[in-house]
Amino acid sequence: MINFREEIIKILDEKIENLNKDEINQMIEVPPNYELGDFAFPVFSLAKIFRKNPAIIAEELAGEIESKYFEKVENKSAYINFYINKNILAEEILKETIDKKDEFGKINYGEDKNVIVEYSSTNIAKPFHIGHIRSTVIGDSLKRIYKFLGYNTIAINHLGDYGTQFGMLIYAYKEWGSKEAIEANPIDELLKLYVKVNEEADKSKEVKDKCRYWFKELENGNEEAVEIWKWFKDVSLQEFNRVYDMLDIEFDSYNGESFYSDKMPALIEDFRERNILEESEGAEVINLEEYDLPPAIVVKSDGTTIYLTRDLAAAKYRHETYKPYKNIYVVGSQQSLHFKQLKAALKKAGFDWYDEIVHVAFGMVSLEDGTLSTRRGKVLYLEDVLNKATEKVTHILDEREEEQNIKIENKEELAQTVGIGAIKFQELFNGRIKDYVFDWDKTLSFEGETGPYVQYVHARISSLLKKGNFNIENEFEPSLLNSELEIDIIRSLYNFTDVVIDAHEKYEPYFITRYVVELAKNFNKFYNQTQILVEDEKLKNTRLLLCYGVKNVIKEGLYLLGIKAPEKM
Ligand code: ARG
């Protein structure tokens, strides 16, 4: 596609000797409304060089510029405003629509560079609860975004499958556990054991010692300990995978904390050789004073390692294995200090690749009280929330069947697509750093800025294309798309790739969420105010082709959010 911005850079680069292309690019602005052009270039900084009043400079430069890509170039005080040639723009968009179909706007921006996205990272033997939704959904979306832009992505679930709590669980299982009960209801039973063993350990030093003993045995590879631990892992993963299936989320690797247990000794040795470990109250730490951070504990006084030690080993392993352009951790903002320490410790160790580490933090999700009846204990399971969303949508569809006296095809599948899509959409609607309150009514509404609304527009376009016997080979004429509403849509389609690029640069999927809502709204306006299936074949085909482009971009945008776009709704 023609890059109009680049055309402007080329033009200005020839006219202005004192600025290079990069500088010009930095200065180009997108005006707040199209009356001021599609792009604007401020000339204030040229006043000194040209020794003229900026408004005069702008006027003179604007007068000299002639390009088929811009229908108008004029100055407004000290700005040169560029108005894109709408016919060329329409032609470009329709060509891209035909050539790329449902890959409209896809480019190889990342040039196959490796990018690791770590997300979800649930904890074995613990509930997969509502709090995990953020990392899971934001991370999956970032993975899709990077992939779309031509990066080679590696999705990692850094399972919490190691640490002293597993000594506790092994002991608890041997003492009070039942194989059958765990098999029937793994997470609930393991959670019960965990709660009980914590209570007992608080009361008795003997229990505490036994828990420690079993963790040591696990570390030493004691067959029984390893077998029980593996089994906890298997049954937990079975539960988690059911939820990942519902969410349509996949990982390339489940290398979690335990995977690094045998990689830590060499790393610690390396740290010692590099002379960065200090003794502190019996522990070995990396002093991070120069970075204004508390010391990073690498080995505890009892000789065991901690969460951070495993992350240090993981970062190094990932670097060596994947040589990533970026190693992204999608983890809540409560762990910001941890990731600062991780990066600083690697820097201090002289690993010059420390900068590939990116902590993509996010705020907390809370629930309006009383709206969620399915509580097991005090934890709200993500699976229950997903099922409830599906149930609620099923109910809405039932009502619709009754009211309109129709039969909805594949109702079950549709309810799941819409229900789970709605939850993801809501999750990705705001900047990730903000805390937010989950609201059922807002999430599942078919109107307003919601997932179901966007899906509905997509399905509406599908049926319109069918009704109009759309065929991509029919004749069309770009210049027929000249109404305000049509041009708005064309501009929006033109911006799609840039929005995705912005989203990946800032690690903010919500740019795409907002974009698809805007596009869907613009389309609806056009749909309501324009007769699309007109007599004139060429006009009809051209408008349908535009609709087809919108449908594809909505579908792609939703895909990047991890949401499916149903053909019928
Ligand atoms: N399992 C951890 C938790 O639930 C998150 C892991 C984050 N990733 C990491 N590499 N430390 O809090």
Side-chain angles (χ1 to χ4, degrees):
M1 252 198 301
I2 292 172
N3 188 329
F4 291 93
R5 193 186 183 104
E6 246 149 47
E7 291 304 325
I8 295 178
I9 297 173
K10 258 194 249 158
I11 294 169
L12 292 175
D13 187 47
E14 272 172 27
K15 300 259 175 236
I16 310 169
E17 268 175 31
N18 311 68
L19 293 176
N20 65 31
K21 285 190 170 162
D22 264 352
E23 288 163 331
I24 295 171
N25 188 20
Q26 294 290 322
M27 286 164 70
I28 294 176
E29 294 176 10
V30 176
N33 63 61
Y34 293 118
E35 264 142 53
L36 296 170
D38 296 277
F39 296 99
F41 184 77
V43 301
F44 300 103
S45 65
L46 300 176
K48 264 207 195 115
I49 306 163
F50 287 74
R51 292 167 186 269
K52 274 186 203 162
N53 176 317
I56 297 187
I57 301 173
E59 191 182 344
E60 286 178 0
L61 277 173
E64 284 173 30
I65 295 169
E66 232 176 275
S67 158
K68 65 168 180 180
Y69 297 119
F70 300 98
E71 60 196 18
K72 198 164 71 175
V73 181
E74 61 178 25
N75 82 298
K76 289 240 160 59
S77 67
Y79 285 86
I80 309 175
N81 298 328
F82 293 81
Y83 299 80
I84 290 177
N85 179 325
K86 306 297 173 309
N87 285 347
I88 293 186
L89 182 62
E91 196 179 324
E92 283 292 301
I93 292 301
L94 295 184
K95 259 204 297 194
E96 175 90 359
T97 299
I98 293 168
D99 293 348
K100 303 272 276 296
K101 304 191 178 63
D102 58 5
E103 293 197 336
F104 182 104
K106 196 170 156 93
I107 56 169
N108 189 357
Y109 189 89
E111 296 170 326
D112 303 319
K113 287 196 280 277
N114 280 351
V115 168
I116 297 170
V117 189
E118 186 218 286
Y119 56 101
S120 202
S121 302
T122 36
N123 299 319
I124 293 304
K126 296 247 182 79
F128 192 166
H129 60 82
I130 181 78
H132 292 115
I133 192 174
R134 305 218 70 189
S135 170
T136 308
V137 170
I138 295 170
D140 179 58
S141 174
L142 287 176
K143 174 184 89 173
R144 289 167 188 249
I145 291 168
Y146 271 87
K147 229 186 194 145
F148 180 84
L149 290 174
Y151 293 89
N152 177 38
T153 57
I154 302 115
I156 300 183
N157 192 334
H158 186 79
L159 292 175
D161 58 359
Y162 210 66
T164 43
Q165 71 270 29
F166 287 95
M168 301 178 90
L169 270 176
I170 292 170
Y171 169 74
Y173 170 66
K174 288 174 63 71
E175 206 62 18
W176 312 291
S178 135
K179 195 168 165 69
E180 295 72 42
I182 292 180
E183 236 134 43
N185 222 340
I187 304 289
D188 287 346
E189 284 304 313
L190 289 170
L191 187 60
K192 265 190 224 153
L193 286 177
Y194 189 63
V195 171
K196 182 168 169 82
V197 71
N198 266 298
E199 281 167 9
E200 298 298 322
D202 277 347
K203 281 187 283 192
S204 135
K205 175 157 174 346
E206 199 189 321
V207 172
K208 232 185 248 158
D209 286 342
K210 287 201 170 123
C211 293
R212 260 196 219 120
Y213 166 81
W214 278 106
F215 181 56
K216 270 249 149 35
E217 286 304 288
L218 178 64
E219 288 217 275
N220 296 338
N222 169 316
E223 226 174 89
E224 187 188 6
V226 171
E227 198 182 307
I228 296 175
W229 167 80
K230 271 211 178 113
W231 176 58
F232 289 165
K233 213 170 139 167
D234 285 346
V235 290
S236 303
L237 272 177
Q238 268 168 32
E239 296 278 291
F240 299 166
N241 282 332
R242 205 171 53 232
V243 182
Y244 291 132
D245 277 350
M246 287 168 87
L247 287 168
D248 190 24
I249 282 177
E250 283 172 8
F251 297 92
D252 301 303
S253 157
Y254 284 87
N255 284 345
E257 293 186 43
S258 70
F259 181 77
Y260 301 100
S261 61
D262 64 352
K263 296 174 182 56
M264 286 185 287
L267 180 79
I268 294 166
E269 214 22 66
D270 189 12
F271 282 165
R272 284 198 189 110
E273 272 162 29
R274 288 169 190 259
N275 240 331
I276 58 162
L277 290 184
E278 284 175 18
E279 206 255 40
S280 165
E281 292 167 39
E284 286 184 273
V285 308
I286 301 178
N287 186 323
L288 300 175
E289 236 167 28
E290 68 240 64
Y291 307 103
D292 265 336
L293 294 168
I297 299 171
V298 178
V299 187
K300 282 203 295 192
S301 54
D302 65 0
T304 56
T305 56
I306 63 166
Y307 180 57
L308 179 63
T309 326
R310 294 188 276 283
D311 259 327
L312 287 162
K316 186 153 183 278
Y317 175 85
R318 290 182 191 176
H319 174 74
E320 285 162 0
T321 311
Y322 302 109
K323 292 275 173 296
Y325 163 62
K326 278 189 174 145
N327 175 12
I328 297 170
Y329 296 77
V330 186
V331 182
S333 53
Q334 304 98 308
Q335 295 193 32
S336 287
L337 178 61
H338 170 79
F339 285 103
K340 280 190 192 138
Q341 287 180 302
L342 174 66
K343 241 174 132 162
L346 295 169
K347 185 173 181 186
K348 183 150 179 179
F351 296 140
D352 56 5
W353 45 265
Y354 72 92
D355 227 11
E356 73 196 24
I357 289 180
V358 183
H359 175 210
V360 172
F362 51 80
M364 301 233 282
V365 49
S366 55
L367 302 148
E368 5 158 45
D369 239 34
T371 49
L372 293 149
S373 50
T374 39
R375 279 164 195 260
R376 305 184 209 166
K378 280 204 182 73
V379 205
L380 181 66
Y381 284 60
L382 180 53
E383 185 175 12
D384 293 345
V385 175
L386 299 178
N387 281 332
K388 182 153 178 178
T390 304
E391 260 167 49
K392 283 188 175 237
V393 175
T394 307
H395 187 70
I396 295 171
L397 297 178
D398 285 345
E399 275 178 358
R400 195 185 295 163
E401 280 185 325
E402 203 158 307
E403 272 165 24
Q404 303 176 6
N405 199 14
I406 48 167
K407 191 102 202 84
I408 296 169
E409 281 171 49
N410 301 331
K411 193 163 72 181
E412 245 168 72
E413 196 191 321
L414 182 63
Q416 197 174 33
T417 301
V418 175
I420 292 176
I423 288 190
K424 288 189 181 183
F425 195 91
Q426 202 49 46
E427 178 53 50
L428 298 170
F429 191 69
N430 290 309
R432 58 189 155 75
I433 272 305
K434 252 177 58 187
D435 293 348
Y436 85 102
V437 182
F438 182 83
D439 174 339
W440 277 113
D441 291 336
K442 211 164 103 195
T443 302
L444 293 180
S445 165
F446 278 59
E447 273 149 56
E449 305 184 309
T450 66
Y453 169 76
V454 178
Q455 286 174 324
Y456 185 70
V457 172
H458 176 268
R460 168 179 270 184
I461 302 176
S462 286
S463 66
L464 173 69
L465 294 175
K466 247 185 234 135
K467 198 166 153 209
N469 287 322
F470 170 68
N471 183 338
I472 201 161
E473 283 174 0
N474 285 346
E475 251 191 295
F476 65 96
E477 174 48 51
S479 64
L480 294 174
L481 299 176
N482 51 24
S483 74
E484 203 61 42
L485 295 170
E486 286 160 340
I487 290 167
D488 271 352
I489 291 175
I490 289 170
R491 278 200 182 103
S492 230
L493 295 179
Y494 181 71
N495 290 337
F496 177 54
T497 309
D498 279 345
V499 172
V500 182
I501 291 175
D502 278 354
H504 105 292
E505 259 163 16
K506 309 237 161 60
Y507 314 103
E508 285 286 17
Y510 92 97
F511 291 178
I512 296 172
T513 321
R514 300 287 171 119
Y515 170 86
V516 288
V517 168
E518 255 342 277
L519 179 61
K521 277 198 213 154
N522 277 346
F523 177 82
N524 250 357
K525 243 194 256 161
F526 162 70
Y527 179 87
N528 290 330
Q529 295 181 29
T530 318
Q531 213 193 328
I532 296 169
L533 305 179
V534 287
E535 289 281 325
D536 181 329
E537 276 293 311
K538 206 183 238 176
L539 180 61
K540 180 182 96 179
N541 294 336
T542 309
R543 286 189 176 151
L544 282 176
L545 188 54
L546 183 66
C547 296
Y548 175 67
V550 173
K551 171 178 141 75
N552 284 336
V553 171
I554 289 182
K555 186 171 163 187
E556 289 174 73
L558 287 176
Y559 177 82
L560 293 177
L561 303 173
I563 300 170
K564 291 182 186 145
E567 290 293 315
K568 264 193 191 169
M569 223 168 127

